[in-house]
Amino acid sequence: MPRDDGIGASVRRKEDFRFVTGRGTYTDDINRYGQTYAAFARSPYAHARIDGIDTAAAQAVAGVVAVFTGDDLAAAGVNGLPCGWQIHSKNGEPMAEPGHPPLAQGKARYVGDAVAVVIAETRAAAKAGAEALEIAYTPLAAVASIRAAKAAGAAVFDDIPSNNCYDWELGDRADIDAAIAAAPQTVTLSLVNNRLVPNAMEPRSAIGDYDTATGEHTLFTTSQNPHVIRLLMGAFVLGIPEHKLRVVAPDVGGGFGSKIFHYAEEAVVTWAAAKIRRPVKWTSDRSEAFLTDAHGRDHETTVTLAMDNDGKFLALKVITDANMGAYLSTFAPCVPTYLYATLLAGQYTTPKIFAGVNAWFTNTCPVDAYRGAGRPEATYVVERIVEEAARHLNIDPAELRRRNFISPDAFPYQTPVALEYDSGNYAGTLALATKAIDYDGFKARQAASKAAGKLRGIGFSAYIEACGIAPSAVVGSLGARAGLYESGAVRVHPTGSVTFYTGSHSHGQGHETTFAQVIAERLGVSVENVDVVHGDTSKVQFGMGTYGSRSLAVGGSALSKALDKVEAKAKKIAAHLMEASDADVEFKDGVFTVAGTDKSVAFGDVALTAYVPHNFPHDELEPGLEEQAFYDPKNFTYPAGCHICEVEIDPDTGVIEIANFVAADDFGNIVNPMIVEGQVHGGIAQGVGQALMEGCVYGEDGQLVTGSYMDYCLPRADNLPNFKVSTQVTPCPHNPLGVKGCGEAGAIAAPAAVMNAVTDALRSVGVTKPIDMPATPSKVWAALNGA
Amino acid sequence: MATVSMTINGKQVTGDVEGRTLLVDFLREDQRLTGTHVGCDTSQCGACTVHVDGKAVKSCTMLALQADGAAVTTIEGLADGDVLHPMQEAFREHHGLQCGFCTPGMIMSATALAARNAAPTEADVRHHLEGNLCRCTGYHNIVKAVMAGARAMQA
C-alpha cells in the first residue's frame, strides 16, 4: 500500500492553515522595535539630469529622521547593483555593463528611478518628506522603445551612444542563409512579444535592521532567493561579510521571477539602518511596483522557417531585438540569449538553426526574468511559425508537428542550439491533448459557431522548456557569475520527527508539503512530523533559491542525496542495535529489518539511539542524525507538452471567449498532483493574460501609460475559463526523483496556443492581417473590419 | 487625531486615528491584525476585503472613522479557534490558494457571496470575484473552493 502522504498523493498543503486564517507572516507584517519608515523620491522623467537636491524642506517635515541621496551613498562607499550574467557579443567583446547606483547619481534613467530616500517616524511622514524634496531636473531626450534605441537619436548612457548592450548570435548565419535560400518552401513572420508587468499580489517590501551589539545586519525582504541577495548585496554593494549579514525572506506573496533580483531598496534600507542605528522599513505601493518591479518579455522578432514540400523542417532563422530597460537587472542579459535561443529547436528535428539577438538600453524600467524567462518567447516564435507553415502547406497543424517531432527513441538528443534533451515523448502529449479537446469534433463545433454568427478557431502550442536550472559548469562557461546548485539538510530529531532545511524558497509553490512528502516516502515519517524551513540565511546554510522551475529538480535532488546519507547512517545504527551486519539491514515503511530474521527496529528508535547513544557504535559513528547535501545538476530538465486552445470570437465586438483550453504536460514524476495542477492553472492564466489582455505601454516620452490596475489589464475571475489539464510521465533520467519541474509550463505554452487559435478564427473569414499580443477586442474588431 | 470605536471580531476596540487613516491601516497597524492585506492603491485587488456590519468591504476604500460603531470581521475572526470556517476549509481542501496573499480577501468576499447565494453557479462565483485579483491560481481552484464552501456553509 502506498502511503497516503507519500510521493504521488495529493496531500493538502501544510502551509494552508496559516494562510487561510490570516496568520501568514509577510514582510510588511513584520515590525521591529524602534522602526522607521522609508519613502523613495523617484524620477518623474524618463531621462533627466539631476542638477541638485535641496533637502532642507524635507528635513523640516515633522517626523523626518534622515534624508539620503545618491551622493551620500557614493560618499559612504556604497557600490552599484551588480549584474549576475555576462554575455559576450559575437565579436568577442563583453556586453556593455553600465553602473547601476541604488540611488541615481547625476542622471535619472527611467520614470521611477530612485533619486533619494527619506526616512521618518511614520510612513506618512516619510512620504510627505519625499514630496517636500526639491529636486532640480533638466529633462533629456528619452529612448522609450527598441525602435528609438536602435535609431540612436539619444543615448541612455553617454558612453554607450549606440544604446546596444550586446550583439550576440548562436549558429552559423551563412550556412543557415544558404539552407533557406535553397529550400523549396519558406514562411516568415514578424512577432512582438509584449512587455509584461509581473504583478505578484504582494508588493515588494524590505526592512533593514542593525544590531549595534554584534554588528550584524538583518534584511527582511520579499525575495525568491535570500542567499543570492546576501551574496549580491553583501559582497558587491555594501561590503558586509556573510557572517554579519542575515537575509530573511519570510512568507512571500508570489514572485514569478520579479523577486529574484537584487533591488536598490534592499541595499538602501540595509545601509540606512546601520547608518541611523534604527530599523528602516519600506513597502512598495502598487504604483511603485508598476514603475520599478523588473518587467518581463519585450522582444521584437523576425523568424523564417524553411521546409521541403512535405513539411519537413530544414532550417530556422530568428532575428530578435530585446529591451533591457535602463539598467541591467540581475539576470537580464541571459534571458534573451541562453534561456531563449537554446530553445529554438522546440520539439522538432530542425537540423539548422541560427539566432541573432541584439539587446538594447532604453529609458524604461529594467527588464528581467518573468515566469518562463526566454522560454515563452522561444515557444511563441517556434509555435507561431510552425502553425504558419501548416497553413502555408495546407497540412493539418497536428500532422505537421508529428512529421517533425524528435522521436521518443532518439534521446538523448543533441539539438543544433547547444542543449542535449534528456527524455520526452512529444507525440504522446500531442495525442493526449487532441483527445482531451476532441480535435476530431472541431470542424462541427466551428460550423455550429458559424451558424450562431461567431468565429471559432483552434491553436496548438507544443512547447519545451529547459528547467532544473542549472549545471554550474555549463552556465559558468556561458557567463553566469554564480553556481546554480542547491543545498538541503535533513535534521532528524531524537523522537524521529524531521526538520528539512532547503535553499529553495516557496512563494506559493507549496514546498512545505511537497518536500515533506518526499521525506515521508523515504523515512516512513508522516508529513505532520516533518517541517520544512526555508527563506532564512541564518537557518539554511546555503541556497540558490527558486526560479526556473528548479525547486524539486535541484532542491529535491539535494534532499534526496541528504536522505541517502541519513538512511545510510541510520542503517548502521540499526545494524548495531540488531547485532547484524549493515549490509543485511533493509529499510522499508519506517522499519529496519534483518533479512531472514524477525528482528526489527523502528526509525524512531534509531533516531533516539542517535541522540541517547548508550548502546551505540561509537568506534564507527558520531552521535546525532543530521545530514546535508549539495546537488549540482548534470543537465537541465526538459518538461514539454502540448496545449490547445479553442476560441470563439464575436465579430460584432471583437470579444474573444476561450471556449476550451487543454494542457497535456510531461513533468516527469510527480510528487503532489494537486499542487502540480495548480501550478499549471496559474501559468496558463498568465499566458492567456499575455495573449489577450496584458501589455505594458510606455509613451514616446517614456511615461508609463499602464501604471495601475485601472490601466493594466490583469486577468480576473470572469476573464478566464476552467482549464482541462492532464499529464504524461517520462521520468527525468538524470536526477534521483525523476522530476522535471512544472512551474512555468503554462506561461510558456499558452500564449502561442491562444494566438494560433485567434489567427485560425480570423482566417476562417479570410482575415490574414497579423495582430500582435495582447489581442484585445479593439485589435480584433479592427482586423475584421479592415481598419 | 480622533477617537474611533468599533467591534472587531467580537471584541470592542478603541483607538486614536488621524482623519485620513484608512480602515485597513487601522486594522493592520493599530490592531496588528495583519491577515488583511494591501495589494494595490486603487481599490482593485480586494486583498483587504473585510466585513463591515456583515457586508464585504474593501477596507482600503473606507476611513477608519467611517467604521465608528460598526461590527468588523476580519480573516482572523472567521475560524472558531483552530476549527476552520467551512469556506476556509474549502479553500484548503480544493487548493484554492498558492502564495496566500489574496486569500484572506478572497475568503471574506466569498463568504459574503455565500451568505446571500447558498448555491452559486460557476458564473455567479466568477462574476462575484471580479473585484478580487489572484495572480497564482488562475482562479480555477478558487472557483471550485467557493462553490464547495458555499454548500458547506449550509450544512
Side-chain angles (χ1 to χ4, degrees), chain A residues 167-223:
Chain A
D167 177 359
W168 176 89
E169 66 180 30
L170 183 64
D172 184 336
R173 182 192 281 257
D175 184 38
I176 275 76
D177 280 341
I180 289 171
Q185 301 287 342
T186 61
V187 281
T188 295
L189 271 179
S190 289
L191 298 167
V192 173
N193 206 289
N194 42 331
R195 186 182 183 112
L196 302 175
V197 182
N199 275 304
M201 290 315 301
E202 179 204 22
R204 288 191 295 118
S205 180
I207 307 169
D209 200 351
Y210 179 70
D211 187 330
T212 56
T214 63
E216 190 189 52
H217 303 257
T218 301
L219 169 68
F220 298 87
T221 185
T222 46
S223 176

Coordinates of all heavy atoms in Angstrom, one line a residue, chain A residues 167-223:
Chain A
D167 N 25.5 42.3 -29.1 CA 25.1 41.8 -30.4 C 25.6 40.4 -30.5 O 26.7 40.1 -30.7 CB 25.7 42.7 -31.5 CG 25.3 42.1 -32.9 OD1 24.6 41.1 -33.0 OD2 25.7 42.7 -33.9
W168 N 24.6 39.5 -30.1 CA 25.0 38.1 -29.8 C 24.5 37.1 -30.9 O 23.4 37.4 -31.5 CB 24.4 37.8 -28.5 CG 24.6 36.3 -27.9 CD1 25.7 35.9 -27.2 CD2 23.7 35.3 -28.1 NE1 25.4 34.5 -26.9 CE2 24.3 34.2 -27.4 CE3 22.4 35.1 -28.7 CZ2 23.6 32.9 -27.3 CZ3 21.8 33.9 -28.6 CH2 22.4 32.8 -27.9
E169 N 25.1 36.1 -31.1 CA 24.5 35.1 -32.1 C 24.9 33.7 -31.7 O 25.8 33.4 -31.0 CB 24.9 35.4 -33.5 CG 26.4 35.2 -33.8 CD 26.7 35.5 -35.3 OE1 26.0 36.4 -35.9 OE2 27.6 34.9 -35.8
L170 N 24.0 32.8 -32.2 CA 24.2 31.3 -32.0 C 24.0 30.7 -33.3 O 22.9 30.8 -33.9 CB 23.2 30.8 -30.9 CG 23.3 29.4 -30.5 CD1 24.7 29.1 -29.8 CD2 22.2 29.0 -29.5
G171 N 24.9 29.9 -33.8 CA 24.8 29.2 -35.0 C 25.5 29.9 -36.2 O 26.1 31.0 -36.0
D172 N 25.5 29.2 -37.3 CA 26.3 29.7 -38.5 C 25.4 30.4 -39.4 O 24.6 29.8 -40.2 CB 26.9 28.5 -39.1 CG 27.9 28.9 -40.3 OD1 27.6 30.0 -40.9 OD2 28.8 28.1 -40.6
R173 N 25.4 31.7 -39.4 CA 24.5 32.5 -40.2 C 24.5 32.2 -41.7 O 23.5 32.0 -42.3 CB 24.7 34.0 -39.9 CG 23.7 34.9 -40.7 CD 24.2 36.4 -40.7 NE 23.9 37.1 -39.4 CZ 22.8 37.9 -39.2 NH1 22.0 38.1 -40.2 NH2 22.6 38.5 -38.1
A174 N 25.7 32.2 -42.2 CA 25.9 31.9 -43.7 C 25.3 30.6 -44.1 O 24.6 30.4 -45.1 CB 27.3 32.0 -44.1
D175 N 25.6 29.6 -43.2 CA 25.1 28.2 -43.5 C 23.6 28.2 -43.5 O 22.9 27.6 -44.4 CB 25.7 27.3 -42.5 CG 25.3 25.8 -42.7 OD1 25.3 25.4 -43.9 OD2 25.0 25.1 -41.8
I176 N 23.0 28.9 -42.5 CA 21.5 28.8 -42.4 C 20.9 29.7 -43.6 O 19.9 29.3 -44.1 CB 21.1 29.3 -41.0 CG1 21.1 28.1 -40.1 CG2 19.6 29.8 -41.1 CD1 22.4 27.7 -39.5
D177 N 21.5 30.8 -43.9 CA 21.0 31.6 -45.0 C 21.0 30.8 -46.3 O 20.1 30.8 -47.1 CB 21.9 32.9 -45.2 CG 21.5 34.0 -44.2 OD1 20.4 33.9 -43.6 OD2 22.3 34.9 -44.0
A178 N 22.1 30.0 -46.5 CA 22.2 29.2 -47.7 C 21.1 28.1 -47.7 O 20.4 27.8 -48.7 CB 23.6 28.6 -47.8
A179 N 20.9 27.5 -46.6 CA 19.8 26.5 -46.5 C 18.5 27.0 -46.8 O 17.6 26.4 -47.4 CB 19.9 25.8 -45.1
I180 N 18.2 28.2 -46.3 CA 16.9 28.8 -46.5 C 16.7 29.2 -48.0 O 15.7 29.0 -48.6 CB 16.7 30.1 -45.6 CG1 16.6 29.6 -44.2 CG2 15.5 30.9 -46.1 CD1 16.6 30.8 -43.1
A181 N 17.8 29.7 -48.6 CA 17.8 30.1 -50.0 C 17.5 28.9 -50.9 O 16.8 29.0 -51.9 CB 19.1 30.8 -50.4
A182 N 18.0 27.8 -50.5 CA 17.9 26.6 -51.3 C 16.6 25.8 -51.0 O 16.3 24.8 -51.7 CB 19.1 25.7 -51.1
A183 N 15.8 26.2 -50.0 CA 14.7 25.4 -49.6 C 13.5 25.6 -50.5 O 13.3 26.7 -51.0 CB 14.3 25.7 -48.2
P184 N 12.7 24.5 -50.8 CA 11.6 24.7 -51.6 C 10.4 25.5 -51.0 O 9.6 26.1 -51.8 CB 11.1 23.2 -51.8 CG 11.9 22.4 -51.0 CD 13.0 23.1 -50.4
Q185 N 10.3 25.5 -49.7 CA 9.2 26.3 -49.1 C 9.8 27.1 -47.9 O 10.6 26.6 -47.1 CB 8.2 25.3 -48.5 CG 7.6 24.4 -49.5 CD 6.6 25.1 -50.5 OE1 6.1 26.2 -50.1 NE2 6.3 24.5 -51.6
T186 N 9.3 28.3 -47.8 CA 9.7 29.1 -46.6 C 8.5 29.9 -46.1 O 7.6 30.2 -46.9 CB 10.8 30.1 -46.9 OG1 10.4 31.0 -47.8 CG2 12.1 29.5 -47.3
V187 N 8.4 30.2 -44.8 CA 7.4 31.1 -44.3 C 8.2 32.0 -43.3 O 9.2 31.7 -42.7 CB 6.3 30.4 -43.5 CG1 5.3 29.8 -44.4 CG2 6.9 29.3 -42.5
T188 N 7.7 33.3 -43.3 CA 8.3 34.3 -42.4 C 7.2 35.0 -41.6 O 6.1 35.3 -42.1 CB 9.1 35.3 -43.3 OG1 10.2 34.6 -43.9 CG2 9.7 36.4 -42.5
L189 N 7.5 35.4 -40.4 CA 6.6 36.1 -39.6 C 7.4 37.2 -38.8 O 8.6 36.9 -38.4 CB 5.9 35.2 -38.5 CG 4.6 34.5 -38.8 CD1 4.2 33.7 -37.6 CD2 3.5 35.5 -39.2
S190 N 6.8 38.3 -38.6 CA 7.3 39.3 -37.6 C 6.4 39.2 -36.4 O 5.2 39.3 -36.5 CB 7.3 40.7 -38.2 OG 8.3 40.7 -39.2
L191 N 7.0 39.1 -35.2 CA 6.3 38.9 -34.0 C 6.8 39.9 -32.9 O 8.0 40.1 -32.8 CB 6.5 37.5 -33.5 CG 6.0 36.4 -34.4 CD1 6.5 35.0 -33.9 CD2 4.4 36.4 -34.4
V192 N 5.8 40.3 -32.1 CA 6.2 41.1 -30.9 C 5.8 40.3 -29.7 O 4.7 39.8 -29.6 CB 5.4 42.5 -30.9 CG1 5.7 43.2 -29.6 CG2 5.9 43.3 -32.1
N193 N 6.8 40.1 -28.8 CA 6.4 39.5 -27.5 C 6.3 40.7 -26.5 O 7.2 41.3 -26.1 CB 7.5 38.5 -27.1 CG 6.9 37.5 -26.2 OD1 6.6 37.8 -25.0 ND2 6.8 36.3 -26.7
N194 N 5.0 40.9 -26.2 CA 4.7 42.1 -25.5 C 5.3 42.2 -24.1 O 5.4 41.2 -23.4 CB 3.1 42.3 -25.4 CG 2.4 41.0 -25.1 OD1 2.9 40.0 -25.4 ND2 1.3 41.2 -24.4
R195 N 5.6 43.4 -23.7 CA 6.2 43.7 -22.4 C 5.1 43.5 -21.3 O 4.0 43.9 -21.5 CB 6.7 45.1 -22.3 CG 7.5 45.5 -21.1 CD 7.9 47.0 -21.2 NE 8.7 47.4 -20.1 CZ 9.9 47.8 -20.2 NH1 10.6 47.7 -21.4 NH2 10.6 48.2 -19.2
L196 N 5.5 42.8 -20.2 CA 4.6 42.5 -19.2 C 5.1 43.0 -17.8 O 6.3 43.2 -17.6 CB 4.4 41.0 -19.1 CG 3.9 40.3 -20.3 CD1 3.9 38.8 -20.1 CD2 2.5 40.8 -20.7
V197 N 4.1 43.3 -16.9 CA 4.5 43.6 -15.5 C 4.1 42.4 -14.7 O 2.9 41.9 -14.7 CB 3.7 44.9 -15.1 CG1 4.1 45.2 -13.7 CG2 4.0 46.0 -16.0
P198 N 5.0 41.8 -14.0 CA 4.8 40.5 -13.3 C 3.6 40.5 -12.3 O 2.8 39.6 -12.3 CB 6.1 40.3 -12.6 CG 7.1 41.0 -13.4 CD 6.4 42.2 -13.8
N199 N 3.5 41.5 -11.5 CA 2.3 41.7 -10.7 C 2.1 40.5 -9.7 O 1.0 40.0 -9.5 CB 1.1 41.9 -11.5 CG 0.8 43.3 -11.9 OD1 0.7 44.2 -11.0 ND2 0.8 43.6 -13.2
A200 N 3.1 40.1 -8.9 CA 2.9 39.3 -7.7 C 1.9 40.2 -6.9 O 2.1 41.4 -6.8 CB 4.2 39.1 -7.0
M201 N 1.0 39.5 -6.2 CA 0.0 40.3 -5.5 C 0.6 41.0 -4.3 O 0.1 42.0 -3.8 CB -1.2 39.4 -5.1 CG -2.1 39.0 -6.2 SD -2.5 40.3 -7.4 CE -3.3 41.5 -6.4
E202 N 1.6 40.4 -3.7 CA 2.3 41.1 -2.6 C 3.3 42.1 -3.1 O 4.2 41.7 -3.8 CB 3.0 40.1 -1.7 CG 3.7 40.8 -0.5 CD 4.9 40.0 0.0 OE1 5.5 39.1 -0.7 OE2 5.3 40.2 1.2
P203 N 3.1 43.4 -2.9 CA 4.1 44.3 -3.3 C 5.5 44.1 -2.6 O 5.5 43.5 -1.5 CB 3.5 45.7 -2.9 CG 2.1 45.4 -2.7 CD 2.0 44.0 -2.2
R204 N 6.5 44.5 -3.2 CA 7.8 44.3 -2.6 C 7.9 45.1 -1.3 O 7.3 46.1 -1.1 CB 9.0 44.7 -3.5 CG 9.2 43.8 -4.7 CD 10.5 44.1 -5.5 NE 10.4 45.4 -6.1 CZ 11.2 46.4 -5.8 NH1 12.2 46.3 -4.9 NH2 11.1 47.6 -6.5
S205 N 8.7 44.6 -0.4 CA 8.9 45.2 0.9 C 10.3 44.8 1.4 O 10.8 43.7 1.1 CB 7.8 44.7 1.9 OG 7.9 45.4 3.2
A206 N 10.9 45.7 2.2 CA 12.2 45.4 2.8 C 12.4 46.1 4.1 O 12.0 47.3 4.2 CB 13.3 45.8 1.8
I207 N 12.9 45.4 5.1 CA 13.2 46.0 6.4 C 14.7 45.8 6.7 O 15.2 44.7 6.7 CB 12.4 45.4 7.5 CG1 10.9 45.4 7.2 CG2 12.7 46.1 8.8 CD1 10.0 44.6 8.1
G208 N 15.4 46.9 6.9 CA 16.8 46.8 7.3 C 16.9 46.9 8.8 O 16.2 47.7 9.4
D209 N 17.7 46.1 9.4 CA 17.9 46.2 10.9 C 19.4 46.0 11.2 O 20.1 45.3 10.5 CB 17.1 45.1 11.6 CG 16.8 45.4 13.0 OD1 17.4 46.4 13.6 OD2 16.0 44.7 13.6
Y210 N 19.8 46.7 12.2 CA 21.3 46.6 12.5 C 21.4 46.4 14.0 O 20.8 47.2 14.8 CB 22.0 47.9 12.1 CG 23.5 47.8 12.4 CD1 24.3 47.0 11.7 CD2 24.0 48.7 13.4 CE1 25.7 47.0 12.0 CE2 25.4 48.7 13.7 CZ 26.2 47.8 13.0 OH 27.5 47.8 13.3
D211 N 22.2 45.4 14.4 CA 22.4 45.1 15.8 C 23.7 45.8 16.3 O 24.8 45.3 15.9 CB 22.5 43.6 16.0 CG 22.5 43.2 17.5 OD1 23.1 44.0 18.3 OD2 22.0 42.1 17.8
T212 N 23.5 46.8 17.1 CA 24.7 47.6 17.4 C 25.6 46.8 18.4 O 26.8 47.1 18.5 CB 24.3 48.9 18.1 OG1 23.5 48.6 19.2 CG2 23.6 49.8 17.2
A213 N 25.1 45.8 19.0 CA 25.9 45.0 19.9 C 26.8 44.0 19.2 O 27.9 43.8 19.6 CB 24.9 44.2 20.9
T214 N 26.3 43.4 18.1 CA 27.0 42.4 17.4 C 27.6 42.8 16.1 O 28.4 42.2 15.4 CB 26.2 41.1 17.2 OG1 25.1 41.5 16.3 CG2 25.6 40.6 18.5
G215 N 27.1 44.0 15.6 CA 27.4 44.4 14.2 C 26.8 43.6 13.1 O 27.2 43.6 12.0
E216 N 25.7 42.9 13.5 CA 25.1 42.1 12.5 C 23.9 42.9 11.8 O 23.1 43.5 12.5 CB 24.5 40.8 13.1 CG 24.0 39.8 12.0 CD 23.2 38.6 12.5 OE1 22.2 38.8 13.3 OE2 23.5 37.5 12.2
H217 N 23.9 42.8 10.5 CA 22.9 43.4 9.7 C 21.8 42.3 9.4 O 22.2 41.2 9.1 CB 23.4 43.9 8.4 CG 24.5 44.9 8.5 ND1 24.4 46.2 8.3 CD2 25.8 44.7 8.8 CE1 25.5 46.8 8.5 NE2 26.5 45.9 8.7
T218 N 20.5 42.7 9.4 CA 19.5 41.8 9.0 C 18.6 42.5 8.0 O 18.3 43.7 8.1 CB 18.6 41.4 10.2 OG1 19.4 40.7 11.2 CG2 17.5 40.4 9.7
L219 N 18.3 41.8 6.9 CA 17.4 42.3 5.9 C 16.2 41.3 5.8 O 16.4 40.2 5.5 CB 18.1 42.5 4.5 CG 17.2 42.7 3.3 CD1 16.6 44.1 3.4 CD2 17.9 42.6 2.0
F220 N 15.0 41.8 6.1 CA 13.8 41.1 5.8 C 13.4 41.6 4.4 O 13.2 42.8 4.2 CB 12.7 41.4 6.8 CG 13.1 41.0 8.2 CD1 13.7 41.8 9.0 CD2 12.7 39.7 8.7 CE1 14.1 41.5 10.3 CE2 13.1 39.3 10.0 CZ 13.8 40.2 10.8
T221 N 13.1 40.6 3.5 CA 12.8 41.1 2.1 C 11.9 40.1 1.4 O 11.9 38.9 1.7 CB 14.1 41.4 1.3 OG1 13.7 41.9 0.1 CG2 14.9 40.1 1.1
T222 N 11.2 40.6 0.4 CA 10.3 39.8 -0.4 C 11.1 39.2 -1.5 O 11.2 39.7 -2.6 CB 9.2 40.7 -1.0 OG1 9.9 41.9 -1.5 CG2 8.2 41.1 0.0
S223 N 11.8 38.1 -1.2 CA 12.8 37.5 -2.2 C 12.5 36.1 -2.4 O 12.0 35.3 -1.6 CB 14.2 37.7 -1.6 OG 15.1 37.0 -2.5

